[in-house]
């Protein structure tokens, strides 16, 4: 009996010490959680400048392109130059197929082997700012105010842009033959048994 009592007493002491140690560790952990501060991440402004994409080798001024996007898809247009934004400046001309001066992405164009003479057309003053749109007051309205607001007036092209369009188109149309004019008027489309990868543009 004496031996049994002597063995049992140290076991109880060790158990109480272990519990005390565990309690202290738990308190330390809880203190650490309270003391910890949230990390703040500073936003760094990107200083990398966006470069305009390079012009494809098979696209040159005067080249006839086929549009693959927008409401003018399938139309043939004349390429004039590449703007600073990397977009291509093209024209129908408007008098032939109804395509005005516009910007297009070269990804959505097919370059043909037909090239026309620009005839000294002056389009140096046309930049990306030429296509900037004026802001309307109706855009800031929300909910019922926007629904019951008066209709915005229809966009009217300024007379300066109309004159510039006509001046550019007249210089290009002068050097076009009847076959090229009819080619620009026609719309590109695929019919049965026609495969794009087998066509030569």
């Amino acid at each position: 009996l004496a031996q049994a009592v002597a063995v049992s007493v140290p076991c109880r002491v060790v158990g109480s010490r272990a519990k005390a140690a565990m309690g202290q560790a738990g308190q330390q952990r809880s203190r650490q959680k309270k003391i910890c501060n949230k990390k703040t991440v500073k936003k760094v402004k990107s200083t990398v400048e966006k470069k305009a994409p390079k012009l494809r080798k098979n696209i040159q001024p005067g080249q006839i392109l086929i549009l693959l996007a927008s409401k003018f898809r399938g139309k043939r247009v004349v390429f004039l130059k590449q703007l600073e934004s990397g977009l291509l400046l093209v024209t129908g001309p408007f008098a032939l197929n109804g395509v005005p001066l516009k910007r297009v992405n070269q990804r959505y164009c097919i370059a043909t082997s037909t090239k026309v003479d620009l005839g000294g057309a002056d389009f140096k003053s046309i930049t990306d700012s030429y296509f900037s749109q004026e802001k309307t007051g109706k855009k800031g309205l929300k909910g019922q105010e926007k629904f019951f607001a008066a209709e915005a007036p229809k966009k009217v092209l300024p007379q300066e842009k109309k004159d510039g369009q006509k001046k550019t188109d007249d210089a290009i149309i002068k050097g076009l033959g009847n076959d090229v004019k009819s080619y620009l008027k026609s719309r590109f489309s695929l019919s049965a048994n026609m495969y794009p990868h087998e066509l030569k543009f």
Side-chain angles (χ1 to χ4, degrees), residues 26-42:
Q27 289 177 0
Q28 289 177 359
R29 288 177 184 175
S30 63
R31 288 175 184 173
Q32 288 177 358
K33 287 181 181 179
K34 292 178 181 178
I35 293 170
C36 287
N37 296 326
K38 294 182 180 179
K39 294 182 179 179
T40 56
V41 180
K42 294 182 180 179

Side-chain angles (χ1 to χ4, degrees), residues 159-191:
Q159 189 62 35
E160 296 180 359
K161 291 187 177 182
K162 290 181 179 179
D163 296 339
Q165 176 78 59
K166 187 177 180 181
K167 186 178 179 181
T168 304
D169 290 351
D170 290 344
I172 297 173
I173 293 173
K174 285 181 181 179
L176 300 180
N178 293 329
D179 54 343
V180 180
K181 289 180 180 179
S182 60
Y183 179 67
L184 287 170
K185 289 179 181 179
S186 62
R187 184 186 288 267
F188 171 76
S189 61
L190 293 174
S191 58

Side-chain angles (χ1 to χ4, degrees), residues 17-133:
R17 289 178 181 176
K19 287 180 181 179
M22 289 175 65
Q24 291 178 0
Q27 289 177 0
Q28 289 177 359
R29 288 177 184 175
S30 63
R31 288 175 184 173
Q32 288 177 358
K33 287 181 181 179
K34 292 178 181 178
I35 293 170
C36 287
N37 296 326
K38 294 182 180 179
K39 294 182 179 179
T40 56
V41 180
K42 294 182 180 179
K43 294 183 179 179
V44 180
K45 294 182 179 180
S46 59
T47 57
V48 180
E49 296 181 358
K50 293 182 179 179
K51 295 182 180 179
K54 292 183 179 179
L55 187 66
R56 295 202 318 244
K57 294 181 180 180
N58 60 343
I59 299 179
Q60 298 177 358
Q63 202 92 16
I64 293 181
L65 309 177
I66 299 174
L67 301 182
L68 301 177
S70 77
K71 65 179 181 180
F72 298 110
R73 59 182 177 275
K75 292 280 189 177
R76 293 178 171 91
V77 295
V78 179
F79 168 63
L80 302 178
K81 68 175 181 177
Q82 186 180 26
L83 301 173
E84 293 181 359
S85 61
L87 300 176
L88 309 184
L89 177 65
V90 299
T91 183
F94 182 77
L96 294 179
N97 53 20
V99 181
L101 285 165
K102 66 185 279 74
R103 297 177 296 177
V104 296
N105 193 324
Q106 59 181 333
R107 291 183 177 181
Y108 306 107
C109 297
I110 297 176
T112 66
S113 57
T114 307
K115 191 176 180 181
V116 300
D117 185 12
L118 297 179
D122 185 16
F123 44 84
K124 293 181 180 179
S125 60
I126 300 176
T127 59
D128 289 306
S129 59
Y130 176 86
F131 300 96
S132 60
Q133 298 180 354

